[in-house]
Amino acid sequence: MIDIVRPAIDDVAVSLGERSYTVRVGQGLIARAGPEIAPLLRRPRVAVVSEATVAGLHLEALRAGLAISGITLEALILPPGEATKSWQHLQQTVEWLLAQKVERGDVVVAFGGGVIGDLVGFAASILRRGVRFVQIPTSLLAQVDSSVGGKTGINSPQGKNLIGAFHQPSLVLADIDVLDTMTPRDFLAGYGEVVKYGLLGDAAYFDWLGAHGPAMAAGDKGLRQQAVQRAVRMKADIVERDETEQGDRALLNLGHTFGHALEAATGYSDRLLHGEGVAIGCQLAFDLSARLGLCAQEAPVRVAEHLADMGMKRSLADIAGELPGRDALIALMAQDKKVVDGAMRFILARDIGDSFVTADVPRAALAALLDEALAGR
Ligand code: GLY
């Protein structure tokens, strides 16, 4: 038999005392899920929660990977899409895990993108007052962002991610191979979160993405692994400093105040994927920063050029269908979790790679920005 030599796995440590864990980034991790997960298990079985698209593509590979170590799996397959992050599916998941007799010492596996990771992590946080869970993120967005750092939750009709808990995973397996099966649209939506890292805190990473982003999108696995590893390292550093978002962690929400409002305005539907909202939101955050004189006009221009090079959505004009007016959008933004004492807080930028949190945004400037953005539709 020919031994296929795979590139090395990158291990990123997330150091949080007794809640520490490793994010493993590389190829072939699902194919050897058994040896990866076995050290965490008290008995050789796991309850896996996934969604129909991912399960159709990868569940048998996961089953085979676990079987290497004699681990069996039972799976709950939920519908794909943001609407699954709901009370209804949380209840279904928790009741199913109880019916599977998942005990305090067992491990639940979240096998899917950000929706599944958030929902299943939240279910694990409340099941029997908390059981351990493993994230196997299958989308770029989940690999670089949502699977790391322990934010879990569901959406409310009143806003995104308003119900949830901090619950760190015990292990994250970011298998670069699964990104091959993503649609170009989903991949680029996830890239919205990738570019966010360069914009919020690492200008050199933004430059690197400028040079390599298109080849990465075209399928280069070595570049994908480097991009994911570097984003996860940045996220881990921030989460280690501020696990429960008392300060710096809010920087990870660059683009999200606008993005979440746009997602709510489009009904959390296919009209706008989360990462697409983040990319448009990052652009608006840089536009607002320039409008307020906080950064040079060149910065939002460079953001727009890179998003255009990548073929990504970057303005309100790229969102199909009706959007509510400026005041309704501002009202949706005011539901953001970053609101303190009723004051909205924004992540703005002094430059690419230099962002900060502020509540000091005159409503008139925000209104003028949104008026201009809506007029461009
Ligand atoms: N996605 C933002 C965070 O994890 O803090």
Side-chain angles (χ1 to χ4, degrees), residues 268-287:
Y268 302 113
S269 69
D270 227 27
R271 283 176 62 200
L272 187 73
L273 304 179
H274 172 68
E276 293 173 336
V278 170
I280 296 172
C282 285
Q283 182 67 60
L284 288 170
F286 270 80
D287 290 342

Side-chain angles (χ1 to χ4, degrees), residues 145-146 148-149 151 193 196 235 239 245 249 252-253 256:
D145 195 61
S146 58
V148 181
K151 278 190 182 175
E193 294 278 6
K196 174 193 84 174
K235 177 149 190 183
V239 169
E245 200 168 308
R249 185 164 179 169
L252 293 169
N253 291 319
H256 284 61

Side-chain angles (χ1 to χ4, degrees), residues 187-244:
F187 186 90
L188 284 184
Y191 188 84
E193 294 278 6
V194 174
V195 83
K196 174 193 84 174
Y197 285 98
L199 295 175
L200 75 88
D202 189 345
Y205 184 48
F206 182 78
D207 290 344
W208 185 89
L209 292 171
H212 300 296
M216 202 169 96
D220 186 308
K221 290 194 189 197
L223 292 174
R224 286 178 174 188
Q225 181 164 336
Q226 285 183 63
V228 173
Q229 183 271 340
R230 195 155 164 182
V232 170
R233 184 65 265 161
M234 276 184 73
K235 177 149 190 183
D237 287 344
I238 292 175
V239 169
E240 285 169 3
R241 288 202 300 275
D242 180 19
E243 183 181 2
T244 57

Side-chain angles (χ1 to χ4, degrees), residues 9 23 60 129 156 169 188 204 243 326 331 355 373 375:
I9 303 293
V23 182
E60 287 318 307
R129 297 209 175 89
S156 152
L188 284 184
E243 183 181 2
R326 165 248 276 175
S355 64

